[in-house]
């Protein structure tokens, strides 16, 4: 019976709180709106921050944040341009202009490149990379590459491009894989098979679509290469190399037939861990200087460490986190002050109600709990609606592909609990003031 009586009193108290709040809909809405904005902003910021963290981490890994790049001489990657006016003029000015057969609609126009020459140092070899892998425990794998500018053509279409000679380990190491077709195998890489893969943009230019490029033949310098795959869209890597405009072929094929050279442009080194990168850099520097017999203060190679990407990611996350904390803190402060001001006005306007309830037998404790319950109800409602709205917004971002999906139950429950606590804290003083209201003064004044 006692439990039933307590439950009945609790239900009556909740009904009373609901009826009071409904009688003051405008004030209730204004008080709830402040907490709603604070909860929505904090939930959204925390979830979006984690989504951004995941995206930056994935992009950093995809761009080679766990790699060290060793390049021969200064790093100077060639960049392509795709402007029809320059293309048309350069094609018309070429000797024997009829050989290219340019059409009026510019579909068979040759693209020209605004480029600088590739590194000219010829001191780095595959033996150097093997020595680095075998001599440094922190280096797990080394993938050599040759990077040079060239011309790729098919039919009446030609394009300046960057030729990348590498090994079959390239896709896994650089996380850059074929979207159509396949990558060349270990046997093809060792034999120097005359096969190649095209970057997505290059395949679209030469063959109109990536699918149409499979099985076709591409002319590169004096060689003919069979297209066995088209790479996925990647964009630009940290060094400025446009990955979608590459022509990738086995390094042995480039050395034997296309480029006819023994040296390499550089290599990507996969690390066992990211600890003590400065010490690793000094070890690589020392080993290569000894092998190349270089005098002090002179290098014929360039090292690019992956910690620059880590630093960029860390700075971005710290900035977002700081702005998020400041913004959510201000929002909750505004929401708390809103409930405090609204509840204070409600206490003043309801002095007669308080006096009548006291005369009817309500204790100060009951008056205190009623007003604190009203503040808690408003803040909880605002927090619940704010959390739900923020999650809906995050779901929309994930569905649109702008950010990877992320949901945290502890964050959502924590923001809801924080919203309720802010409302209780803001309603404590008005509730105490209502409980201390003098009954006779309240009845006489009203």
């Amino acid at each position: 019976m006692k439990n039933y009586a307590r439950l009945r009193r609790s239900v009556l108290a909740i009904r009373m709180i609901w009826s009071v709040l409904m009688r003051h809909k405008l004030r209730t809405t204004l008080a709830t709106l402040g907490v709603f904005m604070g909860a929505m902003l904090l939930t959204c910021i925390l979830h979006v921050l984690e989504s951004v963290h995941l995206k930056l981490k994935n992009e950093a890994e995809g761009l080679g944040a766990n790699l060290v790049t060793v390049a021969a001489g200064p790093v100077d990657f060639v960049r392509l341009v795709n402007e029809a006016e320059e293309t048309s003029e350069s094609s018309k000015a070429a000797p024997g202009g009829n050989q290219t057969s340019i059409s009026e609609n510019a579909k068979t126009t040759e693209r020209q490149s605004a480029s600088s020459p590739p590194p000219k140092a010829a001191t780095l070899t595959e033996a150097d990379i093997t020595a680095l892998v075998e001599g440094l425990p922190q280096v797990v794998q080394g993938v050599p590459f040759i990077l040079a500018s060239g011309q790729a053509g098919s039919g009446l279409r030609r394009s300046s491009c960057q030729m990348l000679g590498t090994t079959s380990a390239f896709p896994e190491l650089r996380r850059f894989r074929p979207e159509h077709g396949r990558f060349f195998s270990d046997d093809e890489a060792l034999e120097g098979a005359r096969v190649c893969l095209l970057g997505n943009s290059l395949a679209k230019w030469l063959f109109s679509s990536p699918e149409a490029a499979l099985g076709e033949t591409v002319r590169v310098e004096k060689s003919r290469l069979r297209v066995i795959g088209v790479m996925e869209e990647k964009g630009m890597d940290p060094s400025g190399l446009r990955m979608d405009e590459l022509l990738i072929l086995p390094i042995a094929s480039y050395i034997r037939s296309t480029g006819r050279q023994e040296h390499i442009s550089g290599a990507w080194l996969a690390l066992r861990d990211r600890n003590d990168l400065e010490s690793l850099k000094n070890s690589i520097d020392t080993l290569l200087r000894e092998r190349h017999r270089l005098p002090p203060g002179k290098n014929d190679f360039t090292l690019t460490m992956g910690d620059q990407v880590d630093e960029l990611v860390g700075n971005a996350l710290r900035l977002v986190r700081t702005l998020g904390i400041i913004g959510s803190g201000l929002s909750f402060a505004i929401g708390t002050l809103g409930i405090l001001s609204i509840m204070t006005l409600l206490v003043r306007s309801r002095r007669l109600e308080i006096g009548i309830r006291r005369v009817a037998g309500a204790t100060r404790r009951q008056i205190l709990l009623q007003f604190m319950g009203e503040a808690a109800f408003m803040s909880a409602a605002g927090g619940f609606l704010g959390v739900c709205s923020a999650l809906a917004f995050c779901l929309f971002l994930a569905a649109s592909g702008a950010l990877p999906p992320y949901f945290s139950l502890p964050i959502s429950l924590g923001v809801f609990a924080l919203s309720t606590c802010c409302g209780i804290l803001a309603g404590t003083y008005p509730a105490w003031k209502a409980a201390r209201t003098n009954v006779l003064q309240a009845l006489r004044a009203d």
Side-chain angles (χ1 to χ4, degrees), residues 17-50:
I17 291 174
W18 176 258
S19 62
V20 170
L21 294 178
M22 289 300 98
R23 286 203 307 268
H24 305 85
K25 293 182 180 180
L26 180 59
R27 294 179 179 178
T28 301
T29 302
L30 293 177
T32 305
L33 184 62
V35 180
F36 166 80
M37 295 298 295
M40 182 178 67
L41 181 60
L42 181 58
T43 305
C44 187
I45 285 176
L46 293 178
H47 279 82
V48 170
L49 179 63
E50 293 299 329

Short mmCIF file of all heavy atoms in Angstrom, two decimals, residues 17-50:
data_model
loop_
_atom_site.label_atom_id
_atom_site.label_comp_id
_atom_site.label_asym_id
_atom_site.label_seq_id
_atom_site.Cartn_x
_atom_site.Cartn_y
_atom_site.Cartn_z
N ILE A 17 3.15 18.91 -12.97
CA ILE A 17 4.24 19.60 -13.67
C ILE A 17 3.90 19.79 -15.14
O ILE A 17 4.11 20.87 -15.71
CB ILE A 17 5.55 18.78 -13.51
CG1 ILE A 17 6.03 18.82 -12.07
CG2 ILE A 17 6.62 19.31 -14.46
CD1 ILE A 17 7.23 17.93 -11.81
N TRP A 18 3.34 18.76 -15.77
CA TRP A 18 2.97 18.85 -17.17
C TRP A 18 1.90 19.91 -17.40
O TRP A 18 1.98 20.69 -18.36
CB TRP A 18 2.49 17.49 -17.66
CG TRP A 18 2.00 17.49 -19.07
CD1 TRP A 18 0.71 17.49 -19.50
CD2 TRP A 18 2.79 17.54 -20.26
NE1 TRP A 18 0.63 17.50 -20.86
CE2 TRP A 18 1.91 17.53 -21.36
CE3 TRP A 18 4.17 17.56 -20.49
CZ2 TRP A 18 2.37 17.56 -22.66
CZ3 TRP A 18 4.62 17.59 -21.79
CH2 TRP A 18 3.72 17.59 -22.86
N SER A 19 0.90 19.95 -16.55
CA SER A 19 -0.17 20.93 -16.72
C SER A 19 0.34 22.35 -16.53
O SER A 19 -0.07 23.27 -17.25
CB SER A 19 -1.31 20.64 -15.72
OG SER A 19 -0.84 20.77 -14.38
N VAL A 20 1.24 22.54 -15.57
CA VAL A 20 1.81 23.88 -15.36
C VAL A 20 2.61 24.33 -16.56
O VAL A 20 2.50 25.47 -17.03
CB VAL A 20 2.67 23.90 -14.08
CG1 VAL A 20 3.44 25.21 -13.98
CG2 VAL A 20 1.79 23.72 -12.86
N LEU A 21 3.45 23.43 -17.08
CA LEU A 21 4.26 23.79 -18.24
C LEU A 21 3.41 24.07 -19.47
O LEU A 21 3.74 24.95 -20.28
CB LEU A 21 5.27 22.66 -18.55
CG LEU A 21 6.35 22.42 -17.48
CD1 LEU A 21 7.23 21.25 -17.89
CD2 LEU A 21 7.19 23.67 -17.26
N MET A 22 2.32 23.35 -19.63
CA MET A 22 1.44 23.58 -20.77
C MET A 22 0.69 24.90 -20.65
O MET A 22 0.29 25.49 -21.66
CB MET A 22 0.45 22.43 -20.92
CG MET A 22 1.10 21.12 -21.41
SD MET A 22 1.89 21.25 -23.04
CE MET A 22 3.62 21.48 -22.58
N ARG A 23 0.48 25.36 -19.42
CA ARG A 23 -0.18 26.66 -19.24
C ARG A 23 0.74 27.81 -19.62
O ARG A 23 0.29 28.90 -19.92
CB ARG A 23 -0.63 26.83 -17.79
CG ARG A 23 -1.85 26.00 -17.42
CD ARG A 23 -2.57 26.58 -16.21
NE ARG A 23 -1.69 26.79 -15.08
CZ ARG A 23 -1.49 25.88 -14.11
NH1 ARG A 23 -2.10 24.70 -14.18
NH2 ARG A 23 -0.68 26.15 -13.12
N HIS A 24 2.06 27.55 -19.59
CA HIS A 24 3.04 28.58 -19.95
C HIS A 24 3.87 28.06 -21.13
O HIS A 24 5.09 27.86 -21.02
CB HIS A 24 3.94 28.91 -18.76
CG HIS A 24 3.19 29.33 -17.54
ND1 HIS A 24 2.67 28.44 -16.62
CD2 HIS A 24 2.86 30.57 -17.09
CE1 HIS A 24 2.07 29.10 -15.65
NE2 HIS A 24 2.16 30.41 -15.90
N LYS A 25 3.20 27.82 -22.23
CA LYS A 25 3.86 27.18 -23.38
C LYS A 25 5.00 28.02 -23.94
O LYS A 25 6.05 27.48 -24.30
CB LYS A 25 2.82 26.90 -24.47
CG LYS A 25 1.79 25.85 -24.08
CD LYS A 25 0.83 25.60 -25.23
CE LYS A 25 -0.21 24.54 -24.85
NZ LYS A 25 -1.16 24.27 -25.94
N LEU A 26 4.78 29.33 -24.04
CA LEU A 26 5.81 30.17 -24.63
C LEU A 26 7.08 30.17 -23.77
O LEU A 26 8.20 29.99 -24.28
CB LEU A 26 5.30 31.60 -24.80
CG LEU A 26 6.29 32.60 -25.41
CD1 LEU A 26 6.72 32.13 -26.79
CD2 LEU A 26 5.68 34.00 -25.48
N ARG A 27 6.91 30.35 -22.47
CA ARG A 27 8.07 30.34 -21.59
C ARG A 27 8.74 28.97 -21.56
O ARG A 27 9.97 28.87 -21.54
CB ARG A 27 7.64 30.75 -20.18
CG ARG A 27 7.15 32.20 -20.08
CD ARG A 27 6.71 32.53 -18.68
NE ARG A 27 6.25 33.92 -18.58
CZ ARG A 27 5.77 34.46 -17.47
NH1 ARG A 27 5.70 33.75 -16.36
NH2 ARG A 27 5.39 35.72 -17.46
N THR A 28 7.94 27.93 -21.58
CA THR A 28 8.50 26.58 -21.59
C THR A 28 9.31 26.34 -22.86
O THR A 28 10.41 25.77 -22.83
CB THR A 28 7.38 25.55 -21.49
OG1 THR A 28 6.65 25.75 -20.28
CG2 THR A 28 7.94 24.14 -21.50
N THR A 29 8.76 26.79 -23.99
CA THR A 29 9.47 26.62 -25.26
C THR A 29 10.78 27.38 -25.28
O THR A 29 11.81 26.86 -25.73
CB THR A 29 8.59 27.07 -26.43
OG1 THR A 29 7.36 26.33 -26.41
CG2 THR A 29 9.29 26.87 -27.76
N LEU A 30 10.77 28.60 -24.78
CA LEU A 30 11.99 29.41 -24.77
C LEU A 30 13.05 28.79 -23.87
O LEU A 30 14.24 28.75 -24.22
CB LEU A 30 11.67 30.83 -24.31
CG LEU A 30 10.81 31.66 -25.26
CD1 LEU A 30 10.50 33.02 -24.66
CD2 LEU A 30 11.52 31.84 -26.61
N ALA A 31 12.62 28.29 -22.70
CA ALA A 31 13.58 27.66 -21.79
C ALA A 31 14.13 26.37 -22.38
O ALA A 31 15.33 26.06 -22.26
CB ALA A 31 12.91 27.39 -20.44
N THR A 32 13.26 25.60 -23.02
CA THR A 32 13.71 24.34 -23.63
C THR A 32 14.61 24.58 -24.82
O THR A 32 15.54 23.80 -25.09
CB THR A 32 12.48 23.52 -24.07
OG1 THR A 32 11.62 23.33 -22.94
CG2 THR A 32 12.89 22.17 -24.62
N LEU A 33 14.38 25.67 -25.55
CA LEU A 33 15.15 25.95 -26.76
C LEU A 33 16.63 26.15 -26.45
O LEU A 33 17.49 25.70 -27.21
CB LEU A 33 14.59 27.20 -27.45
CG LEU A 33 15.22 27.57 -28.78
CD1 LEU A 33 15.02 26.46 -29.79
CD2 LEU A 33 14.63 28.89 -29.30
N GLY A 34 16.94 26.81 -25.33
CA GLY A 34 18.34 27.03 -24.98
C GLY A 34 19.09 25.73 -24.75
O GLY A 34 20.19 25.52 -25.28
N VAL A 35 18.47 24.81 -23.98
CA VAL A 35 19.11 23.53 -23.73
C VAL A 35 19.15 22.69 -25.00
O VAL A 35 20.10 21.96 -25.26
CB VAL A 35 18.37 22.77 -22.61
CG1 VAL A 35 19.03 21.44 -22.33
CG2 VAL A 35 18.35 23.61 -21.35
N PHE A 36 18.10 22.79 -25.81
CA PHE A 36 18.05 22.06 -27.08
C PHE A 36 19.23 22.44 -27.97
O PHE A 36 19.92 21.57 -28.52
CB PHE A 36 16.73 22.37 -27.78
CG PHE A 36 16.70 21.96 -29.23
CD1 PHE A 36 16.47 20.64 -29.59
CD2 PHE A 36 16.92 22.89 -30.22
CE1 PHE A 36 16.46 20.26 -30.91
CE2 PHE A 36 16.90 22.52 -31.56
CZ PHE A 36 16.67 21.20 -31.90
N MET A 37 19.51 23.74 -28.08
CA MET A 37 20.62 24.18 -28.93
C MET A 37 21.96 23.70 -28.37
O MET A 37 22.85 23.26 -29.11
CB MET A 37 20.61 25.70 -29.04
CG MET A 37 19.39 26.26 -29.77
SD MET A 37 19.30 25.70 -31.49
CE MET A 37 20.76 26.47 -32.15
N GLY A 38 22.11 23.79 -27.04
CA GLY A 38 23.36 23.34 -26.44
C GLY A 38 23.59 21.86 -26.64
O GLY A 38 24.70 21.43 -27.00
N ALA A 39 22.56 21.05 -26.39
CA ALA A 39 22.70 19.60 -26.54
C ALA A 39 22.94 19.22 -28.00
O ALA A 39 23.77 18.34 -28.30
CB ALA A 39 21.46 18.90 -26.01
N MET A 40 22.23 19.85 -28.90
CA MET A 40 22.41 19.54 -30.32
C MET A 40 23.82 19.89 -30.78
O MET A 40 24.48 19.11 -31.48
CB MET A 40 21.39 20.29 -31.16
CG MET A 40 21.47 19.98 -32.65
SD MET A 40 20.23 20.83 -33.64
CE MET A 40 20.77 22.53 -33.45
N LEU A 41 24.31 21.06 -30.38
CA LEU A 41 25.64 21.49 -30.80
C LEU A 41 26.72 20.59 -30.24
O LEU A 41 27.63 20.15 -30.96
CB LEU A 41 25.88 22.94 -30.37
CG LEU A 41 27.22 23.56 -30.78
CD1 LEU A 41 27.38 23.55 -32.28
CD2 LEU A 41 27.35 24.97 -30.23
N LEU A 42 26.63 20.26 -28.93
CA LEU A 42 27.66 19.42 -28.32
C LEU A 42 27.66 18.01 -28.92
O LEU A 42 28.71 17.46 -29.24
CB LEU A 42 27.44 19.36 -26.81
CG LEU A 42 28.46 18.55 -26.02
CD1 LEU A 42 29.87 19.09 -26.25
CD2 LEU A 42 28.14 18.54 -24.54
N THR A 43 26.47 17.42 -29.06
CA THR A 43 26.39 16.07 -29.64
C THR A 43 26.91 16.06 -31.07
O THR A 43 27.67 15.17 -31.47
CB THR A 43 24.94 15.57 -29.62
OG1 THR A 43 24.44 15.63 -28.29
CG2 THR A 43 24.86 14.13 -30.12
N CYS A 44 26.53 17.06 -31.84
CA CYS A 44 26.95 17.12 -33.23
C CYS A 44 28.47 17.31 -33.34
O CYS A 44 29.13 16.64 -34.14
CB CYS A 44 26.21 18.27 -33.92
SG CYS A 44 26.47 18.34 -35.70
N ILE A 45 29.00 18.20 -32.51
CA ILE A 45 30.44 18.48 -32.58
C ILE A 45 31.25 17.24 -32.20
O ILE A 45 32.22 16.88 -32.87
CB ILE A 45 30.80 19.67 -31.67
CG1 ILE A 45 30.33 20.98 -32.32
CG2 ILE A 45 32.29 19.73 -31.40
CD1 ILE A 45 30.54 22.19 -31.46
N LEU A 46 30.85 16.56 -31.12
CA LEU A 46 31.60 15.39 -30.68
C LEU A 46 31.55 14.26 -31.70
O LEU A 46 32.55 13.59 -31.97
CB LEU A 46 31.08 14.92 -29.32
CG LEU A 46 31.31 15.87 -28.14
CD1 LEU A 46 30.71 15.31 -26.87
CD2 LEU A 46 32.80 16.14 -27.95
N HIS A 47 30.37 14.04 -32.28
CA HIS A 47 30.27 12.98 -33.28
C HIS A 47 30.99 13.35 -34.58
O HIS A 47 31.69 12.52 -35.17
CB HIS A 47 28.79 12.67 -33.57
CG HIS A 47 28.15 11.78 -32.56
ND1 HIS A 47 27.66 12.25 -31.37
CD2 HIS A 47 27.93 10.44 -32.56
CE1 HIS A 47 27.16 11.23 -30.68
NE2 HIS A 47 27.31 10.14 -31.37
N VAL A 48 30.81 14.60 -35.02
CA VAL A 48 31.49 15.03 -36.25
C VAL A 48 33.00 15.03 -36.05
O VAL A 48 33.76 14.68 -36.97
CB VAL A 48 30.98 16.42 -36.67
CG1 VAL A 48 31.83 16.99 -37.79
CG2 VAL A 48 29.53 16.33 -37.13
N LEU A 49 33.45 15.40 -34.85
CA LEU A 49 34.88 15.39 -34.56
C LEU A 49 35.45 13.98 -34.72
O LEU A 49 36.51 13.80 -35.32
CB LEU A 49 35.13 15.90 -33.15
CG LEU A 49 36.58 15.93 -32.68
CD1 LEU A 49 37.40 16.88 -33.53
CD2 LEU A 49 36.66 16.32 -31.22
N GLU A 50 34.76 12.99 -34.19
CA GLU A 50 35.23 11.62 -34.33
C GLU A 50 35.16 11.15 -35.79
O GLU A 50 36.04 10.42 -36.25
CB GLU A 50 34.39 10.68 -33.45
CG GLU A 50 34.57 10.92 -31.95
CD GLU A 50 35.99 10.70 -31.51
OE1 GLU A 50 36.68 9.84 -32.10
OE2 GLU A 50 36.44 11.39 -30.57
#
